[in-house]
Amino acid sequence: MSVSLDLILEVGDLADTSADAVLYKYAQRLYGAAGAAAKRLERVGIPASEVEVLPGQYRLVETRGGLAAPLALFLGTVRLGDFGYHEIRQFSVRALKALESHTALKHVAGTVHGPNYGLDEDEAALAFVGGLVEAFQRGTGPQGLERFTVVEVDARRAARLRKAMERGLVGTPGVTALPGGNGFRVQRMSAVVQAPPMATAGTVSLEKPHAFVAMPFAPELEDTYHYGILGPVKTAGLLCERVDQAVFDGPIIQRIRERIDTAKVVIADLSMANPNVYLEVGYAWGRGRPCILMVRDVRELRFDVASYRCIVYKSIRELETLLARELERLA
């Protein structure tokens, strides 16, 4: 049995990753990486029905060259809107458990779930990695497993996830950094142990207050979110959640409502006059949730905010300062 697992984060496409097996979730529909993989598998004669599995079940598919890895594990999960931090952590544990009988597997790869459909990016990453650490340390997984690669297609997000993993893994028993900052080495434990502190991030997150961010998913606003909004929200002790309009379907709309209903504050960037952002602000007002409005240029507004407090920012640094002040006022 392998006594250690190298946990590596790489930039790339999971479908092109040369591992022994790759992991996908089937959230009762095909989304994102799983959807792209299913299309590639269809081209080599594997119908989508072969990867559709009910929650709690799984299917291991021989990819026939459709993916770089010879095997793809599809785990059935709850619908996307219900797939939260705790479910992400359990997904990692379930994945290693499902592969346990395949003792010859040495390298498995997967991707972080959550940021695109409304979860806090850092917390989602820690939930995923925490599940892997917990499972491996308790002896779960293929006996020959030596490496798990976390694959992220977006280089900028990968850099942020690497920092989140570093913060979460530092001080975790049985985990040490690899030379050169390429990842971490996780040691199996000789006896049954309590889950390491970092691995409990998923369950702890369920109790943390959160801010819901309503804003367009546009390239020109990505730095605004990650450097102007995320920092002040984290400093205020809140999770930072938003939902990508690219997966804006029925279940996600329901999740938006639920997360607005329970948000400590709703932060809305009205730049670019995105109609969905206005819809979310209107819903938040109707539910009596505190709102912080902001915009790059008052000419982008589509209604008169004279009677509402609205941050007008000229730079990301200015936004960071002004938003921190507003969050302090609401504390």
Side-chain angles (χ1 to χ4, degrees), residues 193-254:
V193 295
Q194 297 242 342
M198 194 280 302
T200 64
T203 52
V204 172
S205 297
L206 296 175
E207 302 170 2
K208 288 183 180 179
H210 69 275
F212 183 89
V213 180
M215 67 184 300
F217 267 71
E220 57 266 42
L221 291 180
E222 282 301 288
D223 284 351
T224 299
Y225 175 74
H226 290 290
Y227 305 107
I229 297 175
L230 194 61
V233 169
K234 294 283 192 178
T235 299
L238 305 174
L239 295 178
C240 195
E241 301 186 350
R242 63 174 181 162
V243 175
D244 191 345
Q245 304 302 328
V247 289
F248 199 92
D249 62 8
I252 297 301
I253 291 174
Q254 181 59 34

